[in-house]
Amino acid sequence: MAAMSKADVVASLHDVGLSHDGGAHFVLRHVSLTLERGEFVALLGPSGVGKSTLLRVLMGLMHPTEGQTGGSACVADAGAHATRRSRAMVFQDARLLPWRSVLRNVMFGLEGLHLSKSEKIARAQEALRLVGLEDAQDRLPRRLSGGQRQRVGVARALTVDPDLLLMDEPFGALDPITRTSLQEELQRIWQQTHKTVLFVTHDIEEALRLATRVVVLAGGPPAGITGEIVLDMPHRNPDTPAFRTYAARLRAMIAGEPDPGGEAYWRSAEI
Amino acid sequence: MAAMSKADVVASLHDVGLSHDGGAHFVLRHVSLTLERGEFVALLGPSGVGKSTLLRVLMGLMHPTEGQTGGSACVADAGAHATRRSRAMVFQDARLLPWRSVLRNVMFGLEGLHLSKSEKIARAQEALRLVGLEDAQDRLPRRLSGGQRQRVGVARALTVDPDLLLMDEPFGALDPITRTSLQEELQRIWQQTHKTVLFVTHDIEEALRLATRVVVLAGGPPAGITGEIVLDMPHRNPDTPAFRTYAARLRAMIAGEPDPGGEAYWRSAEI
Amino acid sequence: MSVKLSGPARLGLGLAGLVLFFGVWEAAVQSGLLPSGMVPAPSSLGPAWLDEVRGGFWQQAILDSLNHYLLGLLIGSVLGAGLGILCGMLGLLDSLLEGVVRLLRPVPGLAWVPFAILWFGLSTAGATFVIAISVFWINFYAAHSAVRGVDPELYELASAFGHGSFVGRLVKIVLPASAPGIMAGLRTGLGQGWMSVVAAELFGVPGIGARMMQASSLLATDVVVVYMLTMAMLYAITDFLFGFVRKWVLRWQP
Amino acid sequence: MSVKLSGPARLGLGLAGLVLFFGVWEAAVQSGLLPSGMVPAPSSLGPAWLDEVRGGFWQQAILDSLNHYLLGLLIGSVLGAGLGILCGMLGLLDSLLEGVVRLLRPVPGLAWVPFAILWFGLSTAGATFVIAISVFWINFYAAHSAVRGVDPELYELASAFGHGSFVGRLVKIVLPASAPGIMAGLRTGLGQGWMSVVAAELFGVPGIGARMMQASSLLATDVVVVYMLTMAMLYAITDFLFGFVRKWVLRWQP
Amino acid sequence: ADSIRIGYIPVLGSSALFVIDGEGWAKQAGLDVQLVRFTSGPQAIQALVSGRIDGYVAGVLPLLQARAHGVDVKVVATASIEELSVIARGALAEGLKPDSEAGLTPDAVKDIFARFKQGQKRLPRLAAQPAGSVPDTLLRYWLQKQLGFAQVNTVASIVGVDIDAAQQAFLAGAVDGAVLREPALTVVKTRLPDARILASGHSMMPDQPGSVLAIVKPDAPEHKAWAGTLTSLFVRATTLLAQHPDDAVPFVQKALGGGMLNDSVMKTALEHSASRFVSDPARIVESVKQLQEFEVAEGLLRKAEPVEDLFDTGLWQQAKP
Ligand SMILES: Nc1ncnc2c1ncn2[C@@H]1O[C@H](COP(=O)(O)OP(=O)(O)OP(=O)(O)O)[C@@H](O)[C@H]1O
Ligand SMILES: Nc1ncnc2c1ncn2[C@@H]1O[C@H](COP(=O)(O)OP(=O)(O)OP(=O)(O)O)[C@@H](O)[C@H]1O
Ligand SMILES: O=[N+]([O-])[O-]
Ligand SMILES: [Mg+2]
Ligand SMILES: [Mg+2]
């Protein structure tokens, strides 16, 4: 995979450092990351380590204090006749606009694209159907439960059909059933459309079920990428030893321990 | 356990119904639930089913549209010389006061109790230490990451030392390490202080690890309690068959299927 | 939880409050607690009003005042809210104008009267100018602080979904997010406009204010109060009508 | 993302804006674009000011005006914000007062002047009354709408942690949560107070406003502008000082 | 033709305008006259300076300010003389007989002021119009030159307010005395029977100048066209007011009463003033000169200008009855 052509780098960070106070304290430092077309990368790491910050940088919402960003999705946004956007993000808090109905929140990213009104509505409704909220389209955000809000945020990002989809704990507030069904939807969309996905989660099982690669952000401050595993599993069954070994390795890496390698499964099972 | 004396009922709902629009549409209906002293009850259910609503009713923040509430914690709040509160709640959104520092947010529930200033500070700092945020006490909420905010909310509820602790997805935004450590803290506190805990979670494993009883809210609207399992496991190891059987049963119940009983494990493993 | 009152209950209470207010006032005057020379009895207001209506003074005064009120309000609100929004969004412009704003803002409407006469003469234009100026500042500050108060996270959201340009932020985020504040400013301006009507008419432009001052020179306190109440009524009407606009614009609010 | 300017840069830009403003004005007068009878040249303001200072008029006018300004401001702000908070929190009181508020609110400060004369004579008390009334309403509405805007979820939080009583909600939630709005009201009132000074002094109570009107009657536009600027300066000072209070109270804000 | 805008103040001295307007004389003469109301003379000259009005009927002294600011404005006729009186109430009127008007000597008035100061432990407050107005200047002139007080501010405190406010303040008892013109004098005397005249118009200053008709740039062609006509109408109206004051009641009532004054008050006021409606501008030249000198001494004017320049008696000569 490392030998792909340049056009296939959707987004990349080169030795990026980020500080919220102009350089006095760094949250992230020396972070380099390349997202290639079609990858599904899960980002794991302890609370407060800088995962959301990293996503903001990739989304272009923050300029890195040091280092450079690059990649096809990060350079150009959709042109004048575009019907899709190069990047989209699901925020950790749902971040809905309180004055817009659910449908119009989902349509937010479509506005400005070269689509007719009815196409926009159709696309937004399709996205709402994917997240199971087709009946809630006229409600205002404050009438939604926590998980419903989060799903609207997911629909809003899906509907713009981005090359690069950045998701910050999108399924955190969902029950396992809804969660599983959304995971399956996401998986299907990813497989069909060859989107590039960067997915923050705290759920190791979720990461292993979905990702082609897992990146661990830890240490610090400043934090950095302390480990990376390219997953090589044909069947993503949590009850297989391969799955459990990966899970144990990741658990250790998040805790800041060295990667225990393939032997870890048995140790972790003792917990 | 059913044969306890009346004083040991900390909170109860009798045939409660709740509607956000004064009776036109019910979110919950015919919900009866009794929480006995020292119980640790996990509440599971799909997104938008009414879990947060149920907690609000138990907390006395909403009056049921039909039915009654009762129980020792729900009747009387702390008296004039009280140094603790009868109930406390961890909200699904962290719901911190943006104008207060982390420490003063945690002290929020202590204000009005019969404690000296230094005792209050000491108790709040202790709670912050439990959630691993002792170094962040002077920060303002907007300087915290999502998981950090949630932990402040947990500390705020713990610090008032309540009889009844209502927790609405308190560990949802936490990484597994922090999450495990907070689960262990909560378990320890519960064992030492015999608090009664009602814990909303979407994580079946978490419910099985912590709870003495699991209640499933499903169906509807209006939703009701569709199942209940009193857990009988000495060792809470996810890799044991007992654990897996429980997990499969709960998964089915949340999805609205009938309780598959003890045989479920093997079926679920095929997913 | 605060008591939630139904519409009719609110209205009833409001009327009860008014009845109480006028009742206490009348009783105070009748009992001699308030000397009648200093405060007219509410019961004397009706006759005084009828006199004014019969003479045609009341209708004429309202028409005259409405004329410069509406024009001044429109000009002041549009310019004030517009500039307030721009300054709230553009730090550079805000800084550049800050000194001038600080200089001009505290100049009272009344202090502009001499210049209004000099620049616009005694036409309605002079009165309109005085009204517009006072309405301008209210709207400027309301819009400015509403825009400043917009959650910066929403700008992030706008950037993330292709609305990071100035116009995008303005239309998609700033206007709706600051609508409650801007509406509050417009509403305050609506009231301030009526208040400035008196000042604007102080130098002879005919209208309610001029008529009020004329009555006060004869100690016709009943007529003065009739015009005070007339203004209250006109304000209530404008405010009521504006209420519909506001409700519609902010229909998403709880 | 809007441009973030450093403190000195803002100040510099503000000063540049002022220089530009005065420069254009002077040039307009010098070139005859603005007739000098209608607008004084900025360069004539210095000498006019010196004259006023030498005669002691300037200092005296400031002292006189400060006197009723401060008192009126204090009374109006405390009562206005206080009642606004109460009405915002208590639906019942709010409904009861709604009619009376609607009735009295639109009565302009100037319209109270006849009654100020009747009730207080041509005294400082009358001037204080007129100022207090105009400041009152600003604060009332600002506090009222700030309190109404408090996120209801925060009341839930207060109830959950033992602060569900009226006082608990007031102290723990309403005051801090509505502080930005209340502070904005106080600040607006600070300005409104200076504006009312002219109205309050229109009927002969000495001070800046009276002096300004006197100068305008003598066509001394330069002196009028000197007092306009004096007011701007006093407002700037009060606003600046209030800025510290505001910053301290709202130190938690971004 | 463009309309001729004439500023006026709401006092009886402006009655000639109301007669012209009410009788329709202007229209008959082919003039479109528009009346613009001001609340004091100084207020009106602000509009005059910026060319917003073409003519002016109010006190003569504010015109000195206008001329000092380079405006070419000339008095073409007098409207009324000896209009202003000093009226007192309460402690300042104590012991005075209702018909005191003519009989008070300067010493008697000085006594009253002294007694007031002693009894009330404060200075009496007197309401006038803003600085530079006829009432204000004349009041100060009377106190200093006629009564012989060296320093005005040790005798009384003078408040300069609008005509309406002065009347209200006096009626409300917010001031102890006021310098008022008709119809305010009749109004307050009717409302307050114990109000007393401290000084009549004549005793404040013989030939006391009052309201005048002044025209901006009377020699400019666009004004010359109507200046003569207007002056002769004005003179005609003044004569009517002097000879048949009752005929003017409806016009004056319409302009000043606004439905709030009854006809008898207006009639009394007009009859009382009949002898003061004098149109000859020469009558006040001397007294204006004195008052101008006084204003210069007081610092209200920077320097004295030749008073003759203020007057243009030619038009009156052509129009005189
Ligand atoms: N606006 C800000 N100003 C200052 N510090 C901030 C700001 N936002 C975040 N931080 C700090 O930066 C660090 C990284 O925050 P970030 O939100 O990226 O964490 P995270 O990995 O997403 O955590 P979580 O899993 O809890 O959401 C934290 O220590 C946080 O306190
Ligand atoms: N203020 C409100 N007004 C009207 N409907 C509401 C309101 N709050 C919640 N609801 C509705 O009530 C139902 C239950 O909401 P609740 O927040 O209790 O769900 P939940 O079980 O906590 O869901 P989640 O797991 O997503 O947080 C939802 O359908 C929601 O849309
Ligand atoms: O008419 N004046 O008031 O001078
Ligand atoms: Mg985060
Ligand atoms: Mg919930």
Side-chain angles (χ1 to χ4, degrees), chain A residues 145-147, chain B residues 48 50-53 92 168-169 200 202:
Chain A
S145 76
Chain B
K51 302 180 295 300
S52 299
T53 305
Q92 185 169 5
D168 199 350
E169 299 187 44
V200 175
H202 286 308

Side-chain angles (χ1 to χ4, degrees), chain A residues 139 142-148 173, chain B residues 20 27 46-53 92 169 202:
Chain A
R139 289 215 229 164
R142 69 188 156 83
R143 302 247 161 215
L144 300 178
S145 76
Q148 288 167 337
Chain B
H20 283 294
V27 171
S47 168
V49 79
K51 302 180 295 300
S52 299
T53 305
Q92 185 169 5
E169 299 187 44
H202 286 308

Side-chain angles (χ1 to χ4, degrees), chain A residues 120-142:
Chain A
K120 288 179 191 172
I121 293 178
R123 262 170 75 165
Q125 283 173 332
E126 167 63 14
L128 278 174
R129 210 190 45 68
L130 290 179
V131 299
L133 284 175
E134 60 272 43
D135 294 337
Q137 69 168 40
D138 294 325
R139 289 215 229 164
L140 288 170
R142 69 188 156 83

Side-chain angles (χ1 to χ4, degrees), chain C residues 32-46:
Chain C
L33 213 87
L34 286 172
S36 65
M38 297 182 99
V39 185
S43 55
S44 72
L45 299 179

Side-chain angles (χ1 to χ4, degrees), chain E residues 14-74:
Chain E
S14 309
S15 295
L17 275 183
F18 310 145
V19 171
I20 294 174
D21 190 51
E23 296 275 15
W25 294 346
K27 213 167 275 159
Q28 289 160 25
L31 300 185
D32 174 14
V33 172
Q34 214 184 319
L35 303 188
V36 185
R37 176 189 175 119
F38 288 88
T39 51
S40 68
Q43 191 81 266
I45 54 158
Q46 295 178 42
L48 195 146
V49 165
S50 58
R52 299 287 166 187
I53 52 176
D54 309 303
Y56 166 103
V57 177
V60 64
L61 294 182
L63 295 171
L64 295 174
Q65 302 289 344
R67 286 191 68 82
H69 279 78
V71 182
D72 178 22
V73 57
K74 284 191 190 289

Side-chain angles (χ1 to χ4, degrees), chain C residues 118-119 122 211 216-218, chain E residues 38 50 52 167-168 191 258:
Chain C
L118 279 173
W119 297 339
L122 290 142
R211 188 80 190 148
S216 81
S217 75
L218 293 168
Chain E
F38 288 88
S50 58
R52 299 287 166 187
Q167 182 178 323
Q168 192 212 345
R191 293 282 284 267

Side-chain angles (χ1 to χ4, degrees), chain A residues 43-52 169 200-202 216-220 223-224 226 253-256, chain B residues 145 147-148 151 173-179:
Chain A
L43 182 62
L44 295 176
S47 168
V49 80
K51 301 180 295 299
S52 299
E169 299 188 42
V200 175
T201 179
H202 286 307
V216 176
L217 202 62
T226 56
M253 280 155 75
I254 295 168
Chain B
S145 76
Q148 288 166 336
R151 283 184 274 159
L174 299 178
D175 62 285
I177 306 292
T178 314
R179 187 172 189 140

Side-chain angles (χ1 to χ4, degrees), chain C:
Chain C
M1 279 165 276
S2 91
V3 194
K4 285 253 171 62
L5 292 165
S6 69
R10 283 186 69 86
L11 197 71
L13 270 173
L15 289 178
L18 276 176
V19 169
L20 205 72
F21 175 73
F22 280 109
V24 169
W25 173 5
E26 179 82 38
V29 175
Q30 294 293 350
S31 68
L33 213 87
L34 286 172
S36 65
M38 297 182 99
V39 185
S43 55
S44 72
L45 299 179
W49 175 68
L50 275 180
D51 274 356
E52 289 290 303
V53 172
R54 280 204 209 94
F57 303 109
W58 191 71
Q59 301 87 316
Q60 191 56 45
I62 290 181
L63 281 182
D64 288 338
S65 288
L66 260 185
N67 189 2
H68 38 254
Y69 170 75
L70 290 176
L71 198 62
L73 188 70
L74 186 74
I75 296 174
S77 300
V78 169
L79 294 182
L83 197 64
I85 292 170
L86 282 184
C87 284
M89 287 183 75
L90 302 171
L92 211 75
L93 183 68
D94 196 31
S95 301
L96 194 65
L97 289 186
E98 183 163 348
V100 178
V101 164
R102 274 176 187 279
L103 196 74
L104 293 183
R105 151 76 215 269
V107 177
L110 262 178
W112 286 108
V113 165
F115 289 102
I117 299 179
L118 279 173
W119 297 339
F120 300 97
L122 290 142
S123 48
T124 306
T128 303
F129 171 73
V130 170
I131 293 171
I133 280 208
S134 69
V135 171
F136 176 89
W137 289 116
I138 301 235
N139 280 285
F140 176 84
Y141 275 96
H144 188 267
S145 79
V147 172
R148 282 319 193 74
V150 172
D151 187 349
E153 298 196 328
L154 296 182
Y155 292 128
E156 263 192 12
L157 179 72
S159 293
F161 285 93
H163 307 304
S165 70
F166 177 78
V167 174
R169 275 160 51 217
L170 176 67
V171 173
K172 305 287 178 186
I173 303 291
V174 170
L175 287 182
S178 60
I182 291 175
M183 288 286 134
L186 286 175
R187 190 179 172 186
T188 312
L190 229 63
Q192 182 63 40
W194 279 117
M195 310 214 170
S196 310
V197 161
V198 182
E201 291 172 0
L202 207 64
F203 55 101
V205 178
I208 295 174
R211 188 80 190 148
M212 192 187 287
M213 286 301 161
Q214 205 179 338
S216 81
S217 75
L218 293 168
L219 292 194
T221 49
D222 47 1
V223 178
V224 173
V225 173
V226 162
Y227 281 102
M228 281 180 158
L229 295 184
T230 301
M231 252 175 191
M233 182 200 72
L234 290 172
Y235 171 69
I237 293 173
T238 38
D239 194 55
F240 179 74
L241 294 178
F242 183 72
F244 288 109
V245 179
R246 195 174 154 277
K247 206 163 196 161
W248 184 80
V249 171
L250 304 182
R251 59 195 178 282
W252 52 274
Q253 277 203 329

